[in-house]
Amino acid sequence: MKRFIKTVLTMGIALIMFGTAAFAGASYSGYNTIVGKFNGCGYSGYQTKSTGGANGYIMSTMVGGDYEVDVRMNSSKGSGSWRRDVTDGTWGELPGSSYQTSGTSVRAQFSNDINTPVDVQVIGQWKSN
């Protein structure tokens, strides 16, 4: 348990330091955000899409409590489909969108269920490709 807490704290510090900068989409960047209660949203920092329409990738380290969130790639040009039920340790693809062309600024958008009564913190890494 101590090792887990140490890992989460170390990851949290790194994510805070790098989570708000804009990164090229081929590289992972950290996120550490709060998803508002009752179907609220939270967002990562922006990345620049390297390959238009490509799927992204997410590595979820922590989703607060025993809650689940949904995540998608979001931009002013359009959003990808939601990846549902992200929890601690979820790794996998984020659906791309043909509207998200190369050079588009995209971010990960997180949302929780309409019946989630608390704000939920989410921590991890993602890339838009």
Side-chain angles (χ1 to χ4, degrees):
M1 185 63 162
K2 287 182 182 180
R3 183 175 180 209
F4 173 77
I5 292 171
K6 185 177 177 181
T7 301
V8 168
L9 288 175
T10 302
M11 187 92 165
I13 291 168
L15 293 173
I16 288 169
M17 290 172 39
F18 299 108
T20 59
F23 289 89
S27 301
Y28 282 98
S29 63
Y31 61 84
N32 182 351
T33 189
I34 302 295
V35 183
K37 59 188 164 209
F38 302 119
N39 204 36
C41 288
Y43 300 91
S44 71
Y46 281 97
Q47 292 187 2
T48 302
K49 193 88 170 143
S50 297
T51 306
N55 289 342
Y57 200 83
I58 188 166
M59 298 187 304
S60 170
T61 303
M62 184 193 84
V63 176
D66 288 327
Y67 294 99
E68 298 175 344
V69 296
D70 303 327
V71 62
R72 67 180 177 180
M73 288 192 291
N74 170 272
S75 77
S76 62
K77 293 185 175 184
S79 298
S81 300
W82 290 101
R83 180 184 175 113
R84 304 287 181 186
D85 305 326
V86 173
T87 61
D88 299 353
T90 298
W91 293 25
E93 289 187 330
L94 290 175
S97 167
S98 60
Y99 296 109
Q100 296 169 348
T101 57
S102 178
T104 301
S105 291
V106 296
R107 62 187 176 174
Q109 177 184 8
F110 299 88
S111 178
N112 60 28
D113 293 334
I114 194 146
N115 61 348
T116 302
V118 297
D119 295 340
V120 177
Q121 183 177 18
V122 294
I123 299 173
Q125 295 184 24
W126 81 290
K127 65 179 179 177
S128 63
N129 285 333

